[in-house]
Amino acid sequence: SIAILLYLARKFKTPDHWYPSDLQKRARVDEYLSWQHVNIRGKGSKLFLTKVLLPLLTGQPLSPKKLEAVTEELNIVLKQFEEKFLQDKPFIAGSEVSLADLIALVELMQPVGAGYNLFEERPKLAEWRRRVEEAVGKQLFQEAHEGILNIQSL
């Protein structure tokens, strides 16, 4: 949870870029963390649930019309994310990766695991993803997302 991540960042005195002490940068991180629950997390999880889990549980595929509507909801918040949070910066809070970037990318991996390559036609988002993965470590990032990226093998 976000509360646990903030607690760990404070308790273990992580490098400042994760949860910046600069008030403006921290406000950007906090703003994103507050916004993402019903937006990126909400819409990304909805696509994952409706495309992967519901068909798995019910044995019935989702109707193309319903899938299109769920995908469009996600596309709207992705556009908002790019315009409001990324803008023309390398990361959400500026020039360094933060918890906001980490949370954002982790949430976006659910739709990717469901087979929706949301980075394909969004070069700004794809470049941001590359920067976040590099900051975390590409191998660690892949290991952390191995389960979700292979969920369709169920």
Side-chain angles (χ1 to χ4, degrees), residues 53-70:
L53 290 183
L54 287 177
L56 185 65
L57 294 172
T58 65
Q60 307 265 334
L62 187 67
S63 77
K65 189 174 183 174
K66 178 69 174 171
L67 183 58
E68 184 180 324
V70 170

Side-chain angles (χ1 to χ4, degrees), residues 96-113:
E96 294 183 287
V97 69
S98 70
L99 285 176
D101 298 288
L102 187 61
I103 294 294
L105 188 50
V106 164
E107 294 295 345
L108 292 177
M109 295 311 288
Q110 282 190 44
V112 171

Side-chain angles (χ1 to χ4, degrees), residues 127-140:
E127 188 57 27
W128 165 80
R129 174 189 176 172
R130 184 195 59 75
R131 287 190 296 270
V132 175
E133 283 186 26
E134 282 181 6
V136 172
K138 196 162 185 72
Q139 183 177 346
L140 177 60

Side-chain angles (χ1 to χ4, degrees), residues 61-126:
L62 187 67
S63 77
K65 189 174 183 174
K66 178 69 174 171
L67 183 58
E68 184 180 324
V70 170
T71 303
E72 184 53 33
E73 288 178 7
L74 178 59
N75 286 334
I76 289 168
V77 298
L78 290 173
K79 186 175 192 277
Q80 292 171 345
F81 175 67
E82 285 183 309
E83 291 174 356
K84 176 155 180 55
F85 292 100
L86 289 183
Q87 299 168 344
D88 291 323
K89 303 176 306 232
F91 298 103
I92 293 171
S95 60
E96 294 183 287
V97 69
S98 70
L99 285 176
D101 298 288
L102 187 61
I103 294 294
L105 188 50
V106 164
E107 294 295 345
L108 292 177
M109 295 311 288
Q110 282 190 44
V112 171
Y116 179 50
N117 187 352
L118 52 92
F119 301 102
E120 191 171 67
E121 295 182 15
R122 293 181 179 86
K124 180 189 287 192
L125 205 58

